[in-house]
Amino acid sequence: MNGGDEVVAAPAGPPQPLDWKFSQVFGERTAGEEVQEVDIISAIEFDKTGDHLATGDRGGRVVLFERTDTKDHGVPRRDLERIDYPISRHPEFRYKTEFQSHEPEFDYLKSLEIEEKINKIRWCQTANGALFLLSTNDKTIKFWKVQEKKVKKISDMNLDPSKAVGNGSIASSSNSCSPKPCVANGGSPDRSYNYLGNDFSFPPGGIASLRLPVVVTSLETNLMARCRRVYAHAHDYHINSISNNSDGETFISADDLRINLWNLEISNQSFNIVDVKPANMEDLTEVITSAEFHPTHCNMLAYSSSKGSIRLIDLRQSALCDSHTKLFEEPEAPGSRSFFTEIIASISDIKFAKDGRYILSRDYMTLKLWDINMDSGPVATFQVHEYLRPRLCDLYENDSIFDKFECCLSGDGLRVATGSYSNLFRVFGCAPGSTEATTLEASKNPMRRQVQTPSRPSRSLSSITRVVRRGAEAPGVDANGNSFDFTTKLLHLAWHPTENSIACAAANSLYMYYA
């Protein structure tokens, strides 16, 4: 009590761990079914509203899904307003359309095959009911417009039913009026008007021999995807990132050594704003691994490097932003250096939080959360693959150590997520005091825990969930206590922008979860 009247509220604790449930799966494969390489999902992205979801695959296709649970399902508005409790719905999506975005190409100058795999997808601002998005493979970015078009049909052919047409078949007409007799070459025996006169005019009712189809627009609609622009020939190395600017007019594309700035309306010109290529390539020590625009400041962007650093740059400083505004990196612990230090430090993905205050980065071992106002070190570090440290030699031998895992933040900024092996992904609470560390499996039972030796099959699911949530990890096994499967890896995932819902890709299957 304060002054006898006022009650001092206790500080709110960290939010409770979320209880994740399976929502949907698209492209689920049956047991033993072989996955085709071209069907493996390589990119996932929600749009800003969360009403649309796009995936790209290694076959160069983009598949769009639309949300269905936000519709009122025929319930009158007045009845909905009478309900004084929130309707507990979780996001549900349905297949909308798909299109072939990229085709395999061959660079004859460099004798290099360019595969069709979609590396990144980014949604652009919608206009006039049409959806716009950018998709890229290793070399070429494309700007797509997806719009519903009304189907036009030929509903009436005013052909003369008494005449044979084409191959001799009789064309029927819906017009019931009796046709006028016609002669060869479209002439008419009724010569009451002069064809050659200067005062030529159409007879009443038109020329009897002129046969035109009647085209009407039906109520049916078809979704049409049209490539509006192609941004090509601007990258010597493989494109690893594209990112829209908050101004709605420009975007960046990044490869290993350069970042280019584009205008959406201009496809034959781009500006090189970052170039880390040394004069002598033997002096090259690091490459660009990911780049993203600030969500609200159109002049700021961040890019990460293979040395584990993140650079924040301001486009107002100079045209070529070789000098950074801020550098975020964690100092190396003394005595911890090994052959694998630089490999596992390489950042595979960065994401800005929705408010632009924090940057989330993913390296091979950890997730790190950075405050852009504090460049001394990360404000939080989440261990993802620490139990793999004794097996780094094996991971190096089978190239798994070079796998590039993505990361994402929740819309409220309270949680972060990233993928792992054995089709697992992890969700961490990043609010002050939070100990949330949930491990989920990309399956219809995300909380499933497969014990190697089924000694206690009667164990309840609630106790299993508690064990998993603590994130207890032993060397040589994954976060669920199983032997590790390096062939099944969950690289791509996305968090819904406004709700606790995650979409993730396990090979060719798209799984969705909600909490």
Side-chain angles (χ1 to χ4, degrees):
M1 300 291 286
N2 187 3
D5 297 320
E6 296 180 11
V7 177
V8 179
Q16 290 296 310
L18 295 176
D19 182 21
W20 291 93
K21 299 180 181 66
F22 169 78
S23 173
Q24 288 172 285
V25 58
F26 296 95
E28 185 183 23
R29 61 184 186 275
T30 56
E33 181 186 347
E34 189 176 343
V35 179
Q36 298 296 318
E37 179 81 9
V38 293
D39 294 332
I40 295 176
I41 297 172
S42 56
I44 302 179
E45 186 78 5
F46 281 104
D47 70 349
K48 280 187 177 179
T49 64
D51 290 340
H52 292 93
L53 174 68
T55 65
D57 63 26
R58 294 188 184 179
R61 291 164 301 201
V62 172
V63 183
L64 304 185
F65 301 88
E66 67 178 347
R67 190 168 176 177
T68 58
D69 62 291
T70 52
K71 297 178 175 61
D72 292 338
H73 302 290
V75 180
R77 182 183 177 88
R78 186 170 293 179
D79 293 346
L80 288 172
E81 288 173 348
R82 283 201 198 103
I83 302 173
D84 58 353
Y85 57 90
I87 302 171
S88 57
R89 287 184 188 147
H90 63 271
E92 289 181 8
F93 287 80
R94 71 176 178 194
Y95 170 85
K96 186 178 179 77
T97 188
E98 68 180 86
F99 55 90
Q100 189 71 34
S101 174
H102 288 73
E103 301 278 359
E105 299 174 55
F106 190 81
D107 188 334
Y108 294 98
L109 292 176
K110 296 183 179 179
S111 295
L112 186 70
E113 286 186 14
I114 303 168
E115 60 180 355
E116 65 271 33
K117 178 174 81 87
I118 304 295
N119 289 344
K120 296 287 177 184
I121 297 173
R122 291 292 179 266
W123 289 90
C124 303
Q125 292 179 352
T126 58
N128 299 326
L131 303 172
F132 294 90
L133 49 92
L134 289 164
S135 62
T136 185
N137 65 353
D138 286 339
K139 295 289 183 180
T140 306
I141 307 157
K142 294 186 179 182
F143 183 49
W144 290 91
K145 178 182 182 180
V146 182
Q147 189 176 30
E148 284 191 344
K149 292 275 189 182
K150 289 187 176 178
V151 179
K152 291 185 178 180
K153 290 183 176 180
I154 297 172
S155 68
D156 199 4
M157 290 286 285
N158 63 345
L159 285 173
D160 185 350
S162 65
K163 292 281 182 183
V165 294
N167 57 6
S169 59
I170 301 298
S172 62
S173 172
S174 59
N175 292 341
S176 58
C177 58
S178 58
K180 294 182 180 179
C182 300
V183 296
N185 296 329
S188 173
D190 182 8
R191 293 279 182 174
S192 58
Y193 49 90
N194 181 9
Y195 279 112
L196 303 176
N198 291 330
D199 56 345
F200 169 75
S201 61
F202 281 96
I207 300 175
S209 60
L210 189 64
R211 309 300 180 195
L212 292 174
V214 179
V215 181
V216 297
T217 303
S218 69
L219 296 175
E220 286 182 52
T221 56
N222 272 352
L223 273 168
M224 301 288 291
R226 191 160 64 91
C227 183
R228 294 289 301 274
R229 282 174 197 87
V230 177
Y231 313 90
H233 312 302
H235 288 279
D236 292 330
Y237 303 92
H238 290 177
I239 298 171
N240 55 48
S241 305
I242 51 174
S243 178
N244 303 83
N245 197 344
S246 57
D247 63 10
E249 296 179 1
T250 55
F251 70 94
I252 54 168
S253 58
D255 65 20
D256 290 347
L257 299 181
R258 291 188 176 96
I259 300 176
N260 292 332
L261 178 68
W262 300 83
N263 189 300
L264 281 167
E265 302 294 324
I266 303 168
S267 60
N268 60 357
Q269 187 181 37
S270 65
F271 296 97
N272 178 224
I273 55 173
V274 175
D275 189 348
V276 299
K277 184 177 181 179
N280 183 357
M281 284 295 280
E282 291 181 1
D283 299 331
L284 183 68
T285 57
E286 62 181 333
V287 295
I288 298 167
T289 56
S290 182
E292 187 171 17
F293 261 120
H294 191 281
T296 54
H297 298 325
C298 63
N299 55 287
M300 290 175 65
L301 64 97
Y303 70 91
S304 59
S305 83
S306 57
K307 276 195 165 180
S309 60
I310 302 169
R311 290 172 173 84
L312 194 68
I313 62 176
D314 191 335
L315 297 177
R316 297 172 297 185
Q317 285 188 339
S318 64
L320 187 62
C321 302
D322 285 341
S323 59
H324 50 266
T325 305
K326 283 192 176 180
L327 175 67
F328 304 95
E329 58 184 358
E330 193 168 23
E332 189 180 308
S336 64
R337 189 164 186 81
S338 71
F339 172 76
F340 304 109
T341 300
E342 282 198 12
I343 300 174
I344 61 175
S346 177
I347 294 175
S348 56
D349 190 28
I350 59 169
K351 292 282 194 326
F352 272 101
K354 198 173 183 179
D355 60 1
R357 171 72 184 271
Y358 297 96
I359 299 174
L360 180 68
S361 68
R362 170 72 152 100
D363 56 42
Y364 190 72
M365 305 297 282
T366 64
L367 267 177
K368 293 189 174 83
L369 191 67
W370 308 79
D371 186 335
I372 64 171
N373 296 333
M374 191 181 86
D375 52 9
S376 57
V379 292
T381 299
F382 307 99
Q383 300 297 336
V384 182
H385 282 164
E386 187 58 35
Y387 52 88
L388 289 178
R389 199 172 287 277
R391 303 188 61 181
L392 290 179
C393 280
D394 299 335
L395 294 161
Y396 182 75
E397 288 295 324
N398 63 21
D399 285 345
S400 293
I401 201 169
F402 301 107
D403 287 334
K404 292 175 169 47
F405 292 93
E406 292 179 1
C407 59
C408 57
L409 297 99
S410 61
D412 56 16
L414 297 177
R415 293 172 181 86
V416 296
T418 191
S420 181
Y421 294 104
S422 302
N423 281 344
L424 300 175
F425 64 100
R426 309 207 63 194
V427 179
F428 298 96
C430 53
S434 175
T435 57
E436 182 176 358
T438 310
T439 301
L440 302 148
E441 181 184 30
S443 68
K444 288 189 173 180
N445 183 4
M447 292 293 188
R448 178 175 62 185
R449 185 170 194 255
Q450 299 165 337
V451 183
Q452 284 174 300
T453 52
S455 53
R456 288 185 289 175
S458 59
R459 199 171 183 182
S460 70
L461 186 63
S462 60
S463 64
I464 295 167
T465 306
R466 283 200 296 273
V467 170
V468 171
R469 280 205 177 128
R470 282 204 297 269
E473 297 161 346
V477 296
D478 66 19
N480 275 353
N482 309 315
S483 351
F484 227 68
D485 182 5
F486 296 121
T487 59
T488 54
K489 54 192 87 167
L490 199 150
L491 302 176
H492 312 286
L493 76 171
W495 201 302
H496 191 281
T498 58
E499 301 181 29
N500 286 322
S501 173
I502 291 178
C504 56
N508 65 328
S509 303
L510 176 67
Y511 285 91
M512 306 194 71
Y513 303 94
Y514 71 98

